[in-house]
């Protein structure tokens, strides 16, 4: 499980900028969050306070 609090960690907002490309988001999260490790079909990603990531929501 990877838990991201987007209010507490504004640096992670960078992972949701650009095209809506899941592979790119996974790479960005992995590089921005120490210890984040995605295992295909096993990892649960929780995005808390996603409303604080306005750029991503505006394009969704």
């Amino acid at each position: 499980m990877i838990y991201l609090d987007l209010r507490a960690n504004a640096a992670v907002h960078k992972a949701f900028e650009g095209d809506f490309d899941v592979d790119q988001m996974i790479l960005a999260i992995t590089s921005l969050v120490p210890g984040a490790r995605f295992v295909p079909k096993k990892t649960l990603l929780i995005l808390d306070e996603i409303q604080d990531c306005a750029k991503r929501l505006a394009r969704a």
Side-chain angles (χ1 to χ4, degrees):
M1 178 182 76
I2 298 173
Y3 172 84
L4 299 177
D5 183 342
L6 296 170
R7 181 167 291 158
N9 190 353
V12 179
H13 292 209
K14 292 179 182 179
F16 303 99
E17 295 175 354
D19 294 332
F20 189 72
D21 181 338
V22 175
D23 291 329
Q24 288 297 92
M25 282 190 270
I26 290 171
L27 287 172
I29 291 168
T30 302
S31 69
L32 292 167
V33 179
R37 184 170 161 254
F38 285 86
V39 179
K41 299 184 182 184
K42 299 273 186 194
T43 302
L44 172 65
L45 177 62
I46 299 173
L47 302 173
D48 195 10
E49 305 297 348
I50 188 69
Q51 70 273 10
D52 288 355
C53 191
K55 286 183 182 180
R56 177 74 252 153
L57 288 174
R59 296 182 352 177

